[in-house]
Structures are given as structure tokens and as C-alpha cells.
Amino acid sequence: MIVVLTAGTTDEQRDEIVRELKELGLGVRAMRGGGQPLLHITSGPTRRARQVLRDDCVQALVPTSGPRLRRHGHRIYPYYLIRWSAAGIVIFGLMVLLAGQLPPGTGEEIQLQHPPATLDWPWYLNAPRALVQAFDAQQRWIGWSALLGLVLVTLALPLIDRTKGEGLQRRWPFVGASVVLVVIALYLTWTGASA
Amino acid sequence: MQGRELSLRQAIWGALRSPLPPGYSGRPTFGWLLVVLFAVQLFTGILLATYYQPSPALVDDSLRHLMRDVSWGWLMRGIHHWASHGMIVLCALQFVRFLISGAYRGPRCGQWILGLAMAALIVAIAFVGSLLVWDQNAYWLLTRTLTVIESLPSIGPGLASILRGGEQVTATTLNRALAIHAMLLPWVLSLLIGLNLWFLGRRHARGGEK
């Protein structure tokens, strides 16, 4: 919102209006434009500025384009909300679709004396299980140690990677290692623990 | 935004009134979708808990009743099941994004650690939840998992005994699995999500994130 003051407004009169606007809770910046003194309302509920229209020095109020204002003068930019809501609706729709097309089953009755020949582990445990089971029973500890080491390195990455900037030229060892790790993890997840 | 200490309300309010930066690529959406799916999980989980009977003799009947007789019961269970998988996929995507872009460096270090802890919790909640079906596969998965935990040095036997509730996998084990899945871990996860939002809000207030 721009408050346009008449051309003959003195500095004292301008300061008086600025003081009045600040008392109304508005942030004001004095400027000049088109040969006239102007007051740019930078924050606060701009509709309150209408109260200064009764002052003879105020020629007009010019609303500036921009986001709507809500109570307490907070500016609302609903773009995040709109995009996030759309994304939320899409993912919820996907869940409903999957629930209808691939409903979870109830499984077989438990047989305490007859464990199944193969256990159906969840897919998200395939990669860590494959890493551990890559070693035979006597050397399984190597697999566990490797898994633990991987977790510790991942946790400590901010301390290990001290590079600056986003460029691939500086970060290529880390980007390369990350890509290799992701590809291996995907492969092990896909093939399962038998790999 | 006054001061550097922000409440959760201020963090959310700040996010809502933030304009999109030029070239916005939808990056924050992964985190938001995780929160959405977590809310879905809480809602459907509460509904499922009203029908689920945590007793080995009654689990199967209660699940069949839910799927066949309860209005929209099949949908609630299906959404709960798939949303848990969805959360893990989103976690993995977020992890890869952080890893490739190097977003774990600098002021995001805390969020990286928090994110890894949250990912581990989400996987743990999903895995324990899959055991609550209490069928042949779930029973033996649980038995095998407890054997692995028991083999851990020093803390293993004690931890396995606490989780199992005795020497054998029994109704007590099922009850403990339910308590861990529906009460303990979701509360911890909620706490971490809140902490993460607080970190985000604080960084946002400092101008670190546009």
C-alpha cells in the first residue's frame, strides 16, 4: 500500500502521518515519486491506513499488488499450501488405489512344529540382510560389522564431507560413492538376501 | 519473525506464508508427504486398533471380521498397510536426495542425524506392524528376529527377553509388539518430527532456507 501525500506536504506533516501510521501498527518507509512525497507501508494490516485519509495532506491510497493480508498483518502466500495439498491428495489417492487393488492378506495359520522353508522378509530389509548373509555363519560378524560401519559412516557424513558448494567438480568423490551405494542398495533390495 | 526461538506453530505459520523461491522444484514436498502419510497412519491405526484383538487365538478372526464385515474396514487396513510402504519409499528418496546434493553439510547436520533416526524408526514401526498379522510367516519372522537380537553381545539376551516377555514367543510377545508398534515408537517419531520442524523453522527464520 502506498500513501500518496499532496505535493505541498511539509516534512513535519509527513512525519506526523508516519507517526500516526506507526501507532496503527504499520511499518512505513518514506519515499518520493512523481514529484510527490509517498509513504510505502511495508508491514502490518494495511487496511488500517485508510484512517489517515481524513488528513488533508493525504491525497490517495494506492494498493500495491501482492499477497492478501490476514489478521496480525501476516502475509499469506498460499502457494506451498496449494502444492502440498495437491501432493497430499495425490499420495492419498495412490494409497486408496493400492488398498483396493492389492489388499493385504491374513496369511496362513501358525504351525509351531513346522517352520516355513523360506521366510518372506519385508522388501525394505533385503539390502541389509543381503550384506550380512554374504558371509557364512562363522564369518557373519564381518557382515554385521560392515553394516554397523556403514551406518556410522552415514551418520558421520557431515564430518567427513567438508567440501563447500554444490558443484559436481568439488564433490565428485562423494557423489560417485553415493551413486554406487544407491545402485548397490537398489540391486540388493531387488534381488533379495539370496544374492 | 521475532527472535530465533520458534514454536511449532510459528514454524508452520512461517512455512504457510513463505513465497516460493524462483525455480522451485518441489523439494520440500517429500518431507511434507511423509508428514501426511504419518497422519494417515495415525488415523487409520486408531481405527484399526478399535477392531484388532491382540490375542493369538483372536487375531485372525478379528482381521477377517475387519476385512469382511466392518464398513470400509478393508480400506482402512489397506491404506494403513500401503502407507507404511509409502513412508519407507519417501524416506529412501529423501535420503538419496540429501546424499547426492550434499544437503547434510553445514547447518543441516542436525537434521541429517534426525532424518536417519526417523527413517530407522519408520522401518521399525513398519516391520513390527507387519508382525501383528500373527500368521505363520509373521510368527517365524518374529522368532528369527528375536534370535538375531539375542545373539547380540552383552545386551542381546536381556533385550530379547524383554521383547519376548519370557522364554517363548507367546501372547505376551504379541502384546509387547502391539505396544511398541502403536504406542512407543509413534510417540518417539512424533517427537522427532516436531524437532525437525522446529529446526526447519529456526533455519528459515535465520534466512538459511528460502
Side-chain angles (χ1 to χ4, degrees):
Chain A
M1 180 83 78
I2 303 285
V3 180
V4 183
L5 304 178
T6 52
T9 306
T10 62
D11 287 351
E12 288 76 24
Q13 287 172 320
R14 186 198 64 197
D15 292 344
E16 178 63 24
I17 294 169
V18 168
R19 190 184 57 75
E20 193 178 344
L21 287 169
K22 283 185 176 171
E23 282 176 359
L24 291 167
L26 300 169
V28 184
R29 183 167 62 101
M31 53 197 282
R32 289 194 72 83
Q36 284 182 269
L38 307 172
L39 298 176
H40 181 204
I41 297 177
T42 52
S43 65
T46 53
R47 65 182 175 279
R48 289 185 190 170
R50 281 181 291 190
Q51 292 182 36
V52 298
L53 270 174
R54 62 174 178 264
D55 198 306
D56 292 338
C57 300
V58 177
Q59 185 176 327
L61 296 181
V62 181
T64 50
S65 60
R68 292 179 296 125
L69 293 174
R70 287 256 172 103
R71 63 195 175 94
H72 308 311
H74 287 303
R75 290 178 182 277
I76 297 287
Y77 299 86
Y79 315 119
Y80 271 129
L81 194 62
I82 292 168
R83 293 197 184 201
W84 288 10
S85 300
I89 290 167
V90 167
I91 195 109
F92 184 72
L94 185 65
M95 294 302 117
V96 172
L97 194 70
L98 284 168
Q101 296 299 314
L102 300 165
T106 50
E108 298 169 9
E109 197 178 333
I110 297 171
Q111 295 175 16
L112 295 176
Q113 307 304 322
H114 303 286
T118 54
L119 280 173
D120 191 12
W121 289 84
W123 62 269
Y124 43 82
L125 295 179
N126 276 352
R129 283 185 61 244
L131 182 63
V132 173
Q133 293 189 353
F135 302 90
D136 58 29
Q138 274 75 36
Q139 295 176 321
R140 194 62 50 86
W141 65 272
I142 300 175
W144 283 110
S145 305
L147 192 60
L148 182 67
L150 201 60
V151 170
L152 290 177
V153 166
T154 311
L155 278 170
L157 257 181
L159 301 175
I160 299 168
D161 183 0
R162 311 294 287 184
T163 55
K164 304 282 181 193
E166 301 276 328
L168 193 62
Q169 283 181 332
R170 290 181 180 179
R171 295 196 61 245
W172 69 266
F174 294 99
V175 174
S178 302
V179 170
V180 168
L181 182 74
V182 169
V183 169
I184 290 173
L186 277 175
Y187 174 75
L188 292 178
T189 300
W190 185 258
T191 55
S194 58
Chain B
M1 204 65 72
Q2 288 178 352
R4 287 183 172 181
E5 302 305 317
L6 283 174
S7 67
L8 181 61
R9 181 175 159 275
Q10 284 173 309
I12 294 170
W13 186 237
L16 287 183
R17 64 194 181 88
S18 301
L20 289 175
Y24 172 75
S25 62
R27 281 175 183 175
T29 313
F30 278 149
W32 162 248
L33 288 180
L34 272 169
V35 175
V36 168
L37 285 186
F38 183 58
V40 166
Q41 289 293 73
L42 287 181
F43 178 70
T44 53
I46 289 167
L47 290 178
L48 291 179
T50 58
Y51 290 97
Y52 182 78
Q53 302 208 31
S55 161
L58 299 173
V59 167
D60 195 51
D61 286 343
S62 69
L63 287 180
R64 285 179 199 279
H65 171 65
L66 179 79
M67 297 291 280
R68 289 177 186 169
D69 308 326
V70 177
S71 300
W72 305 105
W74 61 272
L75 185 63
M76 288 300 115
R77 184 164 175 241
I79 290 173
H80 195 74
H81 173 83
W82 285 108
S84 70
H85 289 276
M87 283 182 85
I88 293 169
V89 170
L90 284 174
C91 267
L93 290 174
Q94 186 82 321
F95 174 76
V96 171
R97 186 175 78 75
F98 262 66
L99 209 57
I100 302 290
S101 66
Y104 47 77
R105 294 169 299 167
R108 284 181 166 185
C109 173
Q111 270 184 281
W112 171 251
I113 309 271
L114 265 182
L116 290 176
M118 283 196 285
L121 274 175
I122 287 168
V123 168
I125 293 173
F127 179 64
V128 178
S130 72
L131 303 176
L132 295 179
V133 182
W134 210 248
D135 57 4
Q136 171 80 337
N137 191 62
Y139 178 87
W140 288 103
L141 268 185
L142 180 58
T143 308
R144 187 73 60 84
T145 306
L146 287 169
T147 310
V148 172
I149 292 173
E150 202 164 25
S151 68
L152 292 174
S154 62
I155 59 162
L159 184 62
S161 180
I162 290 170
L163 293 173
R164 199 186 288 122
E167 293 301 310
Q168 298 291 323
V169 173
T170 58
T172 311
T173 321
L174 177 59
N175 277 296
R176 290 187 183 193
L178 179 63
I180 289 167
H181 174 74
M183 284 175 259
L184 177 66
L185 297 185
W187 274 110
V188 180
L189 185 58
S190 304
L191 189 76
L192 293 187
I193 288 174
L195 205 58
N196 199 29
L197 284 175
W198 179 77
F199 264 123
L200 270 175
R202 198 175 65 158
R203 212 175 62 240
H204 188 88
R206 286 175 176 173
E209 178 84 348
K210 300 295 182 198

